[in-house]
Amino acid sequence: MALALSLTACGSDESGGDGDGSGGSITVACGAMEDLCQKWTEAFTAKTGIKANFVRLSSGETVARLASAKDSPEFDVWHGGPVDGYGAAVKQGLLQEYDSPEAAKIPDKYKDPNHMWTGVYVGVLGFCSNQAVLDKLGVELPDSWDDLLDPKLKQQVSTAHPSTSGTAFTTLWTQVVLNGGEDGGLDFMKKMHPNVLQYTKSGTAPGQVAGRGEVGVGLVFSHDCVKYQEEGMSDLKVSFPKEGTGYEVGGVAMIAGAKNADAAKKYIDFAISAEAQNIGQTVGSYQVLTHPEAKVDERMVKLDDVNLIDYDFAKASESKPGLTARFDEEIAAAPRD
């Protein structure tokens, strides 16, 4: 039902494409905020005349949906969401190569060398804290991962589940890097587990949970916290862990066996362009943009001001299935007492 509602709301065309790769409509699996997904697809349609529908999905959901429909893909393009999820999709044969002419303008560090995906934005993982809640708890604004282990924050931390959320997997992989491997990373997550209120499905939800005052701290990409601040959740404050934090490169890619391949390529060309990347700012999404001609906004995090870890996206993608399975078994199912 949720899928049906999403497609209806986004102007679904049940007739689909022509079936020969040159269809007049495409369907996008979109990993960004819903309002940004809508603006991206509307702008593409206005520019090209090609109807674009979208379904908003988290990273884990996207990979699962692509895998379940591998023989008859329901999507043509994946747009938004961390590229370690794209790497997992590549390993399952769910994406296909497309070397967009627009991608030549994007720095190599934001592109897959085999042209399986291109990065269109960068987001930095941070703490999205409700200052009013922290004041009541007698807790300082966190600036360290260890701050999240404070007993005063029992059930006062909100984070998503790394099996469904690319944001949460970024959190998990950050702990792997900072703590010397998978065992160390999972050990940190076990220590934080009693302080977690619940593991949400969506990676953006913890910022809203904190904004409503249900917890003291939400773990999200900082641009999501800024968006909620601007939407009226004025108690929210952004901070970053001093010992280092992870980040995402949000991508765009073509789905293997896309039914509307020509239209999908045009969408990817558009998505990479500075014109499309600038759309985020019109709906309060202030990711750092990868196109050198894209606009810079003062509300975007300055990457040089944050201690970023050495985030190996290829290794993270390779480790994701086993690591999330261990998280399910060893942490998510455990009681919080």
mmCIF file of all heavy atoms in Angstrom, residues 7-54:
data_model
loop_
_atom_site.group_PDB
_atom_site.id
_atom_site.type_symbol
_atom_site.label_atom_id
_atom_site.label_comp_id
_atom_site.label_asym_id
_atom_site.label_seq_id
_atom_site.Cartn_x
_atom_site.Cartn_y
_atom_site.Cartn_z
ATOM 1 N N LEU A 7 3.680 6.037 -5.370
ATOM 2 C CA LEU A 7 3.661 6.203 -6.816
ATOM 3 C C LEU A 7 2.519 7.111 -7.251
ATOM 4 O O LEU A 7 2.663 7.910 -8.171
ATOM 5 C CB LEU A 7 3.536 4.838 -7.493
ATOM 6 C CG LEU A 7 4.789 3.962 -7.431
ATOM 7 C CD1 LEU A 7 4.482 2.571 -7.969
ATOM 8 C CD2 LEU A 7 5.932 4.586 -8.215
ATOM 9 N N THR A 8 1.385 6.990 -6.549
ATOM 10 C CA THR A 8 0.265 7.852 -6.886
ATOM 11 C C THR A 8 0.595 9.303 -6.609
ATOM 12 O O THR A 8 0.363 10.194 -7.422
ATOM 13 C CB THR A 8 -0.984 7.442 -6.079
ATOM 14 O OG1 THR A 8 -1.309 6.098 -6.399
ATOM 15 C CG2 THR A 8 -2.162 8.347 -6.414
ATOM 16 N N ALA A 9 1.204 9.540 -5.434
ATOM 17 C CA ALA A 9 1.542 10.910 -5.058
ATOM 18 C C ALA A 9 2.541 11.531 -5.996
ATOM 19 O O ALA A 9 2.574 12.733 -6.176
ATOM 20 C CB ALA A 9 2.089 10.933 -3.622
ATOM 21 N N CYS A 10 3.370 10.698 -6.599
ATOM 22 C CA CYS A 10 4.421 11.215 -7.459
ATOM 23 C C CYS A 10 4.041 11.190 -8.928
ATOM 24 O O CYS A 10 4.886 11.325 -9.800
ATOM 25 C CB CYS A 10 5.706 10.407 -7.247
ATOM 26 S SG CYS A 10 6.232 10.386 -5.539
ATOM 27 N N GLY A 11 2.796 10.917 -9.218
ATOM 28 C CA GLY A 11 2.332 10.998 -10.598
ATOM 29 C C GLY A 11 2.693 9.782 -11.417
ATOM 30 O O GLY A 11 3.195 9.893 -12.519
ATOM 31 N N SER A 12 2.423 8.613 -10.888
ATOM 32 C CA SER A 12 2.802 7.380 -11.570
ATOM 33 C C SER A 12 2.079 7.237 -12.895
ATOM 34 O O SER A 12 0.904 7.558 -13.026
ATOM 35 C CB SER A 12 2.465 6.182 -10.666
ATOM 36 O OG SER A 12 2.727 4.981 -11.324
ATOM 37 N N ASP A 13 2.827 6.737 -13.877
ATOM 38 C CA ASP A 13 2.268 6.442 -15.196
ATOM 39 C C ASP A 13 2.265 4.942 -15.366
ATOM 40 O O ASP A 13 3.286 4.333 -15.621
ATOM 41 C CB ASP A 13 3.132 7.094 -16.285
ATOM 42 C CG ASP A 13 2.612 6.804 -17.685
ATOM 43 O OD1 ASP A 13 1.621 6.055 -17.796
ATOM 44 O OD2 ASP A 13 3.214 7.313 -18.644
ATOM 45 N N GLU A 14 1.101 4.306 -15.169
ATOM 46 C CA GLU A 14 1.045 2.849 -15.159
ATOM 47 C C GLU A 14 1.368 2.247 -16.514
ATOM 48 O O GLU A 14 1.679 1.072 -16.622
ATOM 49 C CB GLU A 14 -0.341 2.389 -14.697
ATOM 50 C CG GLU A 14 -0.620 2.748 -13.237
ATOM 51 C CD GLU A 14 -1.929 2.184 -12.758
ATOM 52 O OE1 GLU A 14 -2.604 1.496 -13.556
ATOM 53 O OE2 GLU A 14 -2.296 2.412 -11.594
ATOM 54 N N SER A 15 1.300 3.042 -17.570
ATOM 55 C CA SER A 15 1.621 2.495 -18.883
ATOM 56 C C SER A 15 3.096 2.233 -19.046
ATOM 57 O O SER A 15 3.511 1.506 -19.928
ATOM 58 C CB SER A 15 1.158 3.471 -19.978
ATOM 59 O OG SER A 15 1.869 4.691 -19.902
ATOM 60 N N GLY A 16 3.951 2.871 -18.165
ATOM 61 C CA GLY A 16 5.389 2.619 -18.206
ATOM 62 C C GLY A 16 6.013 3.149 -19.470
ATOM 63 O O GLY A 16 5.537 4.068 -20.111
ATOM 64 N N GLY A 17 7.135 2.528 -19.847
ATOM 65 C CA GLY A 17 7.860 2.974 -21.024
ATOM 66 C C GLY A 17 7.483 2.171 -22.242
ATOM 67 O O GLY A 17 6.526 1.411 -22.256
ATOM 68 N N ASP A 18 8.283 2.336 -23.298
ATOM 69 C CA ASP A 18 7.994 1.673 -24.556
ATOM 70 C C ASP A 18 8.483 0.237 -24.583
ATOM 71 O O ASP A 18 8.131 -0.515 -25.481
ATOM 72 C CB ASP A 18 8.658 2.435 -25.703
ATOM 73 C CG ASP A 18 8.128 3.848 -25.825
ATOM 74 O OD1 ASP A 18 6.985 4.101 -25.408
ATOM 75 O OD2 ASP A 18 8.878 4.686 -26.344
ATOM 76 N N GLY A 19 9.364 -0.109 -23.607
ATOM 77 C CA GLY A 19 9.899 -1.447 -23.591
ATOM 78 C C GLY A 19 11.104 -1.629 -24.477
ATOM 79 O O GLY A 19 11.671 -2.705 -24.547
ATOM 80 N N ASP A 20 11.538 -0.578 -25.204
ATOM 81 C CA ASP A 20 12.685 -0.706 -26.103
ATOM 82 C C ASP A 20 13.861 0.135 -25.614
ATOM 83 O O ASP A 20 14.821 0.350 -26.336
ATOM 84 C CB ASP A 20 12.300 -0.284 -27.531
ATOM 85 C CG ASP A 20 11.870 1.185 -27.592
ATOM 86 O OD1 ASP A 20 11.792 1.823 -26.530
ATOM 87 O OD2 ASP A 20 11.648 1.660 -28.716
ATOM 88 N N GLY A 21 13.788 0.606 -24.360
ATOM 89 C CA GLY A 21 14.884 1.392 -23.816
ATOM 90 C C GLY A 21 14.752 2.874 -24.058
ATOM 91 O O GLY A 21 15.582 3.646 -23.615
ATOM 92 N N SER A 22 13.719 3.312 -24.745
ATOM 93 C CA SER A 22 13.561 4.737 -25.032
ATOM 94 C C SER A 22 12.236 5.258 -24.502
ATOM 95 O O SER A 22 11.598 6.109 -25.099
ATOM 96 C CB SER A 22 13.646 4.978 -26.544
ATOM 97 O OG SER A 22 12.631 4.251 -27.216
ATOM 98 N N GLY A 23 11.785 4.700 -23.371
ATOM 99 C CA GLY A 23 10.473 5.012 -22.839
ATOM 100 C C GLY A 23 10.291 6.466 -22.494
ATOM 101 O O GLY A 23 11.241 7.208 -22.281
ATOM 102 N N GLY A 24 9.028 6.880 -22.421
ATOM 103 C CA GLY A 24 8.695 8.251 -22.134
ATOM 104 C C GLY A 24 8.516 8.535 -20.666
ATOM 105 O O GLY A 24 8.057 9.603 -20.301
ATOM 106 N N SER A 25 8.820 7.563 -19.802
ATOM 107 C CA SER A 25 8.751 7.799 -18.370
ATOM 108 C C SER A 25 9.776 6.920 -17.677
ATOM 109 O O SER A 25 10.197 5.896 -18.213
ATOM 110 C CB SER A 25 7.341 7.510 -17.833
ATOM 111 O OG SER A 25 7.056 6.130 -17.897
ATOM 112 N N ILE A 26 10.196 7.360 -16.502
ATOM 113 C CA ILE A 26 11.124 6.562 -15.711
ATOM 114 C C ILE A 26 10.660 6.562 -14.258
ATOM 115 O O ILE A 26 9.896 7.431 -13.836
ATOM 116 C CB ILE A 26 12.571 7.099 -15.769
ATOM 117 C CG1 ILE A 26 12.652 8.539 -15.238
ATOM 118 C CG2 ILE A 26 13.135 6.999 -17.166
ATOM 119 C CD1 ILE A 26 14.070 9.018 -15.039
ATOM 120 N N THR A 27 11.145 5.579 -13.518
ATOM 121 C CA THR A 27 10.876 5.501 -12.088
ATOM 122 C C THR A 27 12.203 5.497 -11.353
ATOM 123 O O THR A 27 13.099 4.715 -11.675
ATOM 124 C CB THR A 27 10.060 4.251 -11.734
ATOM 125 O OG1 THR A 27 8.843 4.255 -12.488
ATOM 126 C CG2 THR A 27 9.728 4.224 -10.257
ATOM 127 N N VAL A 28 12.304 6.372 -10.361
ATOM 128 C CA VAL A 28 13.542 6.585 -9.626
ATOM 129 C C VAL A 28 13.396 6.057 -8.203
ATOM 130 O O VAL A 28 12.425 6.389 -7.515
ATOM 131 C CB VAL A 28 13.889 8.092 -9.575
ATOM 132 C CG1 VAL A 28 15.173 8.324 -8.784
ATOM 133 C CG2 VAL A 28 13.999 8.656 -10.988
ATOM 134 N N ALA A 29 14.337 5.244 -7.770
ATOM 135 C CA ALA A 29 14.464 4.902 -6.356
ATOM 136 C C ALA A 29 15.265 6.034 -5.724
ATOM 137 O O ALA A 29 16.428 6.236 -6.066
ATOM 138 C CB ALA A 29 15.176 3.568 -6.179
ATOM 139 N N CYS A 30 14.652 6.789 -4.845
ATOM 140 C CA CYS A 30 15.274 8.012 -4.345
ATOM 141 C C CYS A 30 15.591 7.900 -2.861
ATOM 142 O O CYS A 30 14.717 7.592 -2.047
ATOM 143 C CB CYS A 30 14.361 9.207 -4.600
ATOM 144 S SG CYS A 30 15.167 10.798 -4.274
ATOM 145 N N GLY A 31 16.853 8.178 -2.520
ATOM 146 C CA GLY A 31 17.304 8.046 -1.149
ATOM 147 C C GLY A 31 17.445 9.348 -0.408
ATOM 148 O O GLY A 31 17.935 9.355 0.728
ATOM 149 N N ALA A 32 17.030 10.446 -1.003
ATOM 150 C CA ALA A 32 17.106 11.755 -0.337
ATOM 151 C C ALA A 32 15.792 12.049 0.378
ATOM 152 O O ALA A 32 14.883 11.221 0.409
ATOM 153 C CB ALA A 32 17.415 12.840 -1.363
ATOM 154 N N MET A 33 15.701 13.233 0.977
ATOM 155 C CA MET A 33 14.437 13.663 1.581
ATOM 156 C C MET A 33 13.336 13.690 0.524
ATOM 157 O O MET A 33 13.589 13.988 -0.644
ATOM 158 C CB MET A 33 14.595 15.054 2.193
ATOM 159 C CG MET A 33 15.455 15.088 3.441
ATOM 160 S SD MET A 33 14.515 14.553 4.870
ATOM 161 C CE MET A 33 15.558 15.192 6.194
ATOM 162 N N GLU A 34 12.106 13.415 0.950
ATOM 163 C CA GLU A 34 11.001 13.318 0.009
ATOM 164 C C GLU A 34 10.811 14.600 -0.805
ATOM 165 O O GLU A 34 10.562 14.539 -2.010
ATOM 166 C CB GLU A 34 9.708 12.975 0.761
ATOM 167 C CG GLU A 34 8.508 12.799 -0.143
ATOM 168 C CD GLU A 34 7.834 11.443 0.005
ATOM 169 O OE1 GLU A 34 8.297 10.622 0.810
ATOM 170 O OE2 GLU A 34 6.866 11.233 -0.713
ATOM 171 N N ASP A 35 10.921 15.766 -0.151
ATOM 172 C CA ASP A 35 10.701 17.005 -0.890
ATOM 173 C C ASP A 35 11.782 17.233 -1.933
ATOM 174 O O ASP A 35 11.521 17.762 -3.017
ATOM 175 C CB ASP A 35 10.571 18.209 0.044
ATOM 176 C CG ASP A 35 11.729 18.372 1.013
ATOM 177 O OD1 ASP A 35 12.667 17.563 0.995
ATOM 178 O OD2 ASP A 35 11.685 19.337 1.818
ATOM 179 N N LEU A 36 13.005 16.791 -1.640
ATOM 180 C CA LEU A 36 14.079 16.922 -2.623
ATOM 181 C C LEU A 36 13.884 15.943 -3.771
ATOM 182 O O LEU A 36 14.085 16.306 -4.941
ATOM 183 C CB LEU A 36 15.438 16.703 -1.952
ATOM 184 C CG LEU A 36 16.676 16.792 -2.837
ATOM 185 C CD1 LEU A 36 16.690 18.080 -3.648
ATOM 186 C CD2 LEU A 36 17.945 16.670 -1.999
ATOM 187 N N CYS A 37 13.473 14.727 -3.471
ATOM 188 C CA CYS A 37 13.169 13.753 -4.528
ATOM 189 C C CYS A 37 12.118 14.310 -5.484
ATOM 190 O O CYS A 37 12.230 14.181 -6.710
ATOM 191 C CB CYS A 37 12.668 12.451 -3.917
ATOM 192 S SG CYS A 37 13.850 11.561 -2.877
ATOM 193 N N GLN A 38 11.113 14.941 -4.910
ATOM 194 C CA GLN A 38 10.046 15.504 -5.736
ATOM 195 C C GLN A 38 10.562 16.630 -6.620
ATOM 196 O O GLN A 38 10.235 16.702 -7.815
ATOM 197 C CB GLN A 38 8.909 16.005 -4.846
ATOM 198 C CG GLN A 38 7.718 16.549 -5.634
ATOM 199 C CD GLN A 38 6.521 16.811 -4.744
ATOM 200 O OE1 GLN A 38 6.435 16.326 -3.625
ATOM 201 N NE2 GLN A 38 5.579 17.587 -5.251
ATOM 202 N N LYS A 39 11.389 17.497 -6.054
ATOM 203 C CA LYS A 39 11.930 18.611 -6.837
ATOM 204 C C LYS A 39 12.852 18.114 -7.942
ATOM 205 O O LYS A 39 12.834 18.648 -9.062
ATOM 206 C CB LYS A 39 12.676 19.576 -5.918
ATOM 207 C CG LYS A 39 11.777 20.448 -5.059
ATOM 208 C CD LYS A 39 11.009 21.463 -5.902
ATOM 209 C CE LYS A 39 10.230 22.423 -5.027
ATOM 210 N NZ LYS A 39 9.472 23.410 -5.828
ATOM 211 N N TRP A 40 13.697 17.135 -7.627
ATOM 212 C CA TRP A 40 14.589 16.572 -8.650
ATOM 213 C C TRP A 40 13.788 16.048 -9.841
ATOM 214 O O TRP A 40 14.080 16.356 -10.995
ATOM 215 C CB TRP A 40 15.403 15.434 -8.059
ATOM 216 C CG TRP A 40 16.637 15.823 -7.305
ATOM 217 C CD1 TRP A 40 17.338 16.995 -7.380
ATOM 218 C CD2 TRP A 40 17.335 15.009 -6.353
ATOM 219 N NE1 TRP A 40 18.426 16.950 -6.540
ATOM 220 C CE2 TRP A 40 18.454 15.757 -5.905
ATOM 221 C CE3 TRP A 40 17.129 13.733 -5.845
ATOM 222 C CZ2 TRP A 40 19.354 15.258 -4.975
ATOM 223 C CZ3 TRP A 40 18.020 13.224 -4.904
ATOM 224 C CH2 TRP A 40 19.126 13.985 -4.476
ATOM 225 N N THR A 41 12.791 15.209 -9.548
ATOM 226 C CA THR A 41 12.035 14.581 -10.632
ATOM 227 C C THR A 41 11.179 15.594 -11.387
ATOM 228 O O THR A 41 11.046 15.517 -12.612
ATOM 229 C CB THR A 41 11.179 13.422 -10.097
ATOM 230 O OG1 THR A 41 10.417 13.869 -8.959
ATOM 231 C CG2 THR A 41 12.052 12.250 -9.655
ATOM 232 N N GLU A 42 10.594 16.556 -10.682
ATOM 233 C CA GLU A 42 9.799 17.593 -11.352
ATOM 234 C C GLU A 42 10.673 18.439 -12.274
ATOM 235 O O GLU A 42 10.262 18.764 -13.397
ATOM 236 C CB GLU A 42 9.130 18.486 -10.314
ATOM 237 C CG GLU A 42 7.958 17.844 -9.594
ATOM 238 C CD GLU A 42 7.354 18.754 -8.537
ATOM 239 O OE1 GLU A 42 7.961 19.802 -8.225
ATOM 240 O OE2 GLU A 42 6.274 18.417 -8.019
ATOM 241 N N ALA A 43 11.854 18.797 -11.808
ATOM 242 C CA ALA A 43 12.754 19.621 -12.624
ATOM 243 C C ALA A 43 13.212 18.864 -13.863
ATOM 244 O O ALA A 43 13.326 19.443 -14.956
ATOM 245 C CB ALA A 43 13.959 20.058 -11.794
ATOM 246 N N PHE A 44 13.464 17.561 -13.714
ATOM 247 C CA PHE A 44 13.863 16.757 -14.861
ATOM 248 C C PHE A 44 12.741 16.693 -15.896
ATOM 249 O O PHE A 44 12.976 16.850 -17.106
ATOM 250 C CB PHE A 44 14.237 15.344 -14.411
ATOM 251 C CG PHE A 44 14.470 14.385 -15.544
ATOM 252 C CD1 PHE A 44 15.618 14.469 -16.317
ATOM 253 C CD2 PHE A 44 13.536 13.409 -15.851
ATOM 254 C CE1 PHE A 44 15.835 13.586 -17.373
ATOM 255 C CE2 PHE A 44 13.736 12.522 -16.899
ATOM 256 C CZ PHE A 44 14.897 12.606 -17.665
ATOM 257 N N THR A 45 11.529 16.472 -15.432
ATOM 258 C CA THR A 45 10.393 16.417 -16.348
ATOM 259 C C THR A 45 10.192 17.755 -17.059
ATOM 260 O O THR A 45 9.944 17.809 -18.273
ATOM 261 C CB THR A 45 9.115 16.014 -15.597
ATOM 262 O OG1 THR A 45 9.288 14.691 -15.058
ATOM 263 C CG2 THR A 45 7.900 16.030 -16.512
ATOM 264 N N ALA A 46 10.316 18.851 -16.308
ATOM 265 C CA ALA A 46 10.151 20.179 -16.909
ATOM 266 C C ALA A 46 11.216 20.447 -17.960
ATOM 267 O O ALA A 46 10.951 21.090 -18.979
ATOM 268 C CB ALA A 46 10.207 21.252 -15.821
ATOM 269 N N LYS A 47 12.404 19.929 -17.746
ATOM 270 C CA LYS A 47 13.518 20.185 -18.666
ATOM 271 C C LYS A 47 13.457 19.312 -19.910
ATOM 272 O O LYS A 47 13.806 19.754 -21.015
ATOM 273 C CB LYS A 47 14.843 19.954 -17.936
ATOM 274 C CG LYS A 47 16.089 20.321 -18.745
ATOM 275 C CD LYS A 47 17.344 20.130 -17.923
ATOM 276 C CE LYS A 47 18.592 20.534 -18.701
ATOM 277 N NZ LYS A 47 18.630 21.996 -18.964
ATOM 278 N N THR A 48 13.024 18.057 -19.740
ATOM 279 C CA THR A 48 13.133 17.086 -20.831
ATOM 280 C C THR A 48 11.786 16.649 -21.407
ATOM 281 O O THR A 48 11.746 16.089 -22.506
ATOM 282 C CB THR A 48 13.862 15.826 -20.349
ATOM 283 O OG1 THR A 48 13.058 15.177 -19.340
ATOM 284 C CG2 THR A 48 15.228 16.166 -19.784
ATOM 285 N N GLY A 49 10.721 16.834 -20.654
ATOM 286 C CA GLY A 49 9.428 16.320 -21.080
ATOM 287 C C GLY A 49 9.227 14.859 -20.747
ATOM 288 O O GLY A 49 8.159 14.292 -21.035
ATOM 289 N N ILE A 50 10.215 14.225 -20.162
ATOM 290 C CA ILE A 50 10.126 12.813 -19.780
ATOM 291 C C ILE A 50 9.545 12.727 -18.376
ATOM 292 O O ILE A 50 10.086 13.308 -17.438
ATOM 293 C CB ILE A 50 11.506 12.130 -19.822
ATOM 294 C CG1 ILE A 50 12.082 12.198 -21.236
ATOM 295 C CG2 ILE A 50 11.414 10.694 -19.338
ATOM 296 C CD1 ILE A 50 13.537 11.759 -21.319
ATOM 297 N N LYS A 51 8.473 12.001 -18.222
ATOM 298 C CA LYS A 51 7.831 11.895 -16.925
ATOM 299 C C LYS A 51 8.687 11.059 -15.984
ATOM 300 O O LYS A 51 9.121 9.967 -16.330
ATOM 301 C CB LYS A 51 6.443 11.277 -17.064
ATOM 302 C CG LYS A 51 5.617 11.356 -15.788
ATOM 303 C CD LYS A 51 4.172 10.951 -16.051
ATOM 304 C CE LYS A 51 3.329 11.142 -14.803
ATOM 305 N NZ LYS A 51 1.913 10.775 -15.043
ATOM 306 N N ALA A 52 8.925 11.575 -14.786
ATOM 307 C CA ALA A 52 9.745 10.874 -13.794
ATOM 308 C C ALA A 52 8.949 10.692 -12.517
ATOM 309 O O ALA A 52 8.494 11.662 -11.907
ATOM 310 C CB ALA A 52 11.022 11.659 -13.509
ATOM 311 N N ASN A 53 8.762 9.454 -12.128
ATOM 312 C CA ASN A 53 8.133 9.108 -10.870
ATOM 313 C C ASN A 53 9.219 8.700 -9.884
ATOM 314 O O ASN A 53 10.307 8.291 -10.293
ATOM 315 C CB ASN A 53 7.163 7.930 -11.054
ATOM 316 C CG ASN A 53 6.220 8.130 -12.216
ATOM 317 O OD1 ASN A 53 5.520 9.127 -12.285
ATOM 318 N ND2 ASN A 53 6.222 7.179 -13.145
ATOM 319 N N PHE A 54 8.937 8.780 -8.588
ATOM 320 C CA PHE A 54 9.924 8.310 -7.621
ATOM 321 C C PHE A 54 9.253 7.574 -6.476
ATOM 322 O O PHE A 54 8.077 7.776 -6.171
ATOM 323 C CB PHE A 54 10.761 9.473 -7.065
ATOM 324 C CG PHE A 54 10.056 10.322 -6.040
ATOM 325 C CD1 PHE A 54 10.087 10.003 -4.683
ATOM 326 C CD2 PHE A 54 9.350 11.460 -6.423
ATOM 327 C CE1 PHE A 54 9.434 10.779 -3.737
ATOM 328 C CE2 PHE A 54 8.700 12.248 -5.480
ATOM 329 C CZ PHE A 54 8.739 11.906 -4.137
#
